[in-house]
Amino acid sequence: MALRTAALKPLRSTALPTRAFSTELPRITERRPNETGHGGRASDAGVKVALFGATGFLGRYVSSGLGSNGTLTYIGTRGDEFAYRHLRPHHELGRAKFSYYSSRDKQSMADIIADADIVINLIGKYYDTKALENTDSFPFLNYKVSTSVWEANVEVPKMIAELCTEMQVDNLIHVSSAAAGNVDSASEWARSKAAGEKEVLEAYPWATIVRPTQMFGHEDKLLNLFAKMAERFPVIPLVDGGHALTQPVYVDDVARTINRIVDDPEMFEGRRVDCFGPQDYSYAELAKFVYDITEQEPTLSDVPAEVVKYGANVLQYEGNPMLTPDMVDLWTEDYLPEMTAEKYAAQKQLGKVFTMKDLGVEATPIEKMAFKYLYRFRKGGHFILAEGYH
């Protein structure tokens, strides 16, 4: 029996594999104590993953994929039980451990990483978290920055990478952004993503960098943003006419890509994986696309970026801001992958930048998914168009 078990144990190789990746089965399908698992949720994948940023937009999809593959997951959270309870059903009982940590307490983060084979960092922020504090002079109140964009996107990833090096973690997956390719961006968020990526690679040179473009999905702040703005305002400003281009990628495609990296992490050590959708659009085209689905009828207005910032300066003080001045800066620039799909495909294997297609993930068209979560902005929902419901 021992000989048979040894024969089934997978061998690691530095050569590029030709097998197809799968998120339906874990990398190791027969590692459950005293029995053989069929793979998936009820099995033990033999891999331990520490996940930071699981409660975010991308994080919930990554968590679901890890749970579906039978991965033992240590999930770091800064909130209470209500902040992460939606993640519990992703995992079998006992296959996920939720631990509180502070991004300013290195030991609390080390405790989460301690037993992990792979660390995934999804932490990021597009606005400064602010809180009111008392002052001695009029108006006796002041907004102080609690957590800055720079801290979340640069200092925290750097700390995680340093811990991975100190604790000799096998693999680190750091999620950056396609916007990080523009180190001279007008957007502080884009510059911080570039700086964070640099700090991670300096601290942990073998890190796998994942660079998605803007992501769309049920909880996104892209298509939903246009629809929510139309609910509140009769006129929707298009920053500099909305001519800048973006190439949105479906959030679950990015999550599946990350889970396939977990499937064979050694192959991607020190490499980059770019994630992008099948087609680029201008922001003006996306706005018209959204309103064609929602049947909202706001007035689209060509407004210079500096003028849009007047409104953004007010909206940025919301708890979860709809728009910030830095977002306006970001929307004045193209948000695209580094190369075209043809140039990615024509690369030589040595030093190649991988794409989702290399990992067997086909990009989902935005037209296929958008209606599923934008129809709720219609008056009467989608039932208004069907006979017998009104």
Side-chain angles (χ1 to χ4, degrees), residues 36-290:
T36 299
H38 57 74
R41 288 181 62 92
S43 299
D44 183 348
V47 180
K48 300 173 184 176
V49 173
L51 180 60
F52 292 94
T55 56
F57 177 33
L58 174 60
R60 66 182 63 200
Y61 292 88
V62 175
S63 172
S64 176
L66 293 172
S68 296
N69 283 352
T71 304
L72 180 59
T73 309
Y74 302 104
I75 298 177
T77 176
R78 295 186 303 146
D80 59 17
E81 192 275 337
F82 293 99
Y84 58 79
R85 64 179 179 176
H86 62 286
L87 302 178
R88 289 190 180 278
H90 296 167
H91 305 266
E92 287 289 317
L93 185 63
R95 301 299 295 166
K97 178 183 178 181
F98 296 86
S99 300
Y100 178 83
Y101 77 95
S102 168
S103 58
R104 295 169 185 169
D105 181 359
K106 191 173 183 179
Q107 185 57 49
S108 68
M109 302 182 78
D111 291 341
I112 297 170
I113 294 172
D115 195 37
D117 303 312
I118 303 170
V119 173
I120 302 175
N121 175 41
L122 307 176
I123 293 174
K125 209 169 190 64
Y126 71 94
Y127 63 95
D128 293 338
T129 303
K130 297 182 176 68
L132 283 171
E133 66 175 353
N134 296 323
T135 61
D136 296 330
S137 58
F138 184 81
F140 306 109
L141 289 174
N142 179 55
Y143 266 110
K144 68 174 182 179
V145 174
S146 177
T147 304
S148 68
V149 169
W150 196 261
E151 180 182 359
N153 295 345
V154 182
E155 295 173 11
V156 174
K158 178 184 178 182
M159 183 187 297
I160 291 174
E162 289 174 344
L163 283 170
C164 288
T165 301
E166 293 172 14
M167 304 175 74
Q168 299 182 352
V169 175
D170 292 340
N171 302 98
L172 168 63
I173 301 171
H174 172 69
V175 177
S176 181
S177 168
N182 183 7
V183 295
D184 299 318
S185 172
S187 166
E188 181 192 8
W189 179 84
R191 295 194 305 273
S192 69
K193 281 294 186 180
E197 193 176 299
K198 181 180 177 182
E199 293 287 355
V200 166
L201 290 174
E202 286 181 358
Y204 192 100
W206 315 276
T208 302
I209 304 297
V210 179
R211 278 190 182 180
T213 54
Q214 282 177 299
M215 292 179 284
F216 68 90
H218 286 72
E219 307 88 359
D220 71 38
K221 294 183 182 297
L222 181 62
L223 305 186
N224 280 318
L225 174 63
F226 288 114
K228 289 178 180 178
M229 289 183 71
E231 286 187 324
R232 295 177 60 178
F233 310 111
V235 178
I236 305 301
L238 296 176
V239 180
D240 288 343
H243 298 305
L245 298 175
T246 183
Q247 197 165 335
V249 61
Y250 182 41
V251 62
D252 197 37
D253 290 344
V254 180
R256 289 169 59 204
T257 300
I258 293 171
N259 275 283
R260 294 189 181 194
I261 296 172
V262 172
D263 186 58
D264 194 357
E266 287 78 14
M267 176 181 176
F268 304 98
E269 288 180 346
R271 308 293 284 273
R272 198 177 89 212
V273 182
D274 287 359
C275 304
F276 49 89
Q279 186 177 342
D280 58 43
Y281 306 88
S282 69
Y283 290 105
E285 289 173 329
L286 284 180
K288 293 174 184 176
F289 170 70
V290 169

